[in-house]
Amino acid sequence: MSETAQGGIIVICGLIVFIYGILRWVIWGKSRAQRFIEKAQKNGCKAKAVCVKTKDLHKSTNRDIYRIVKKKYEYMVNGQKYYITLKFESGVMKNPPYYITVYYDKRRPKKAVYAYEGSREKQVQTGCGYTALATFCTMFLVARLLAHLFS
């Protein structure tokens, strides 16, 4: 088989996986966090959390325009205190929130998800990453397979 035909097969396989990935992981997809939040919303398991501890993991130096901040939040369920720890990457002018909304499991309130984790924006970002990774892996594997078959 010619190199042009092999290249065409590789591109077609990559295109099929790319289209599938966009549909499955970006347009129709729901992350585990989104499904968890939907279930918690049905059960009315929503709480406001307040920041109780902040730690800078990476402070901006010289011309860096970002920092990584670790925050510990406290929320109350049925008079009991629970905690959730989150990491934020933020720009110089942007500070992580002091108050957040968390959704928790009805049976195990200790298990909670930050509302942003289940946002559409986060799903699109993650879905695009999965799509790109799957496309490149598929193209690489098909190229290796064709090289092995026709060498």
Side-chain angles (χ1 to χ4, degrees), residues 136-148:
F136 289 122
C137 287
T138 299
M139 292 175 77
F140 176 77
L141 291 173
V142 169
R144 295 282 296 193
L145 180 66
L146 290 174
H148 179 72

Side-chain angles (χ1 to χ4, degrees), residues 2-116:
S2 71
E3 286 184 22
T4 305
Q6 288 181 10
I9 291 171
I10 294 167
V11 169
I12 289 169
C13 290
L15 189 59
I16 290 168
V17 170
F18 177 77
I19 291 169
Y20 173 79
I22 291 294
L23 291 174
R24 173 69 178 92
W25 292 314
V26 178
I27 296 173
W28 301 326
K30 287 188 181 179
S31 67
R32 197 175 302 159
Q34 283 174 311
R35 291 190 299 273
F36 181 89
I37 288 172
E38 286 175 1
K39 185 177 178 183
Q41 283 175 332
K42 284 181 194 174
N43 295 329
C45 299
K46 177 181 176 180
K48 289 286 182 196
V50 63
C51 179
V52 292
K53 188 176 178 183
T54 301
K55 182 179 179 182
D56 275 318
L57 299 177
H58 173 76
K59 283 193 170 192
S60 298
T61 56
N62 297 334
R63 293 299 220 191
D64 285 348
I65 57 168
Y66 75 96
R67 67 184 186 148
I68 299 173
V69 179
K70 186 176 180 180
K71 288 193 170 242
K72 184 177 184 178
Y73 291 92
E74 176 184 273
Y75 61 99
M76 301 272 286
V77 177
N78 299 328
Q80 185 97 12
K81 290 181 183 180
Y82 295 96
Y83 299 94
I84 184 172
T85 304
L86 303 169
K87 286 183 188 175
F88 296 93
E89 282 189 41
S90 59
V92 172
M93 296 301 213
K94 195 170 146 186
N95 286 324
Y98 186 74
Y99 295 100
I100 62 170
T101 301
V102 294
Y103 294 92
Y104 58 89
D105 189 335
K106 190 164 131 179
R107 286 180 241 132
R108 293 181 304 167
K110 189 176 183 178
K111 184 178 178 185
V113 173
Y114 172 40
Y116 176 73

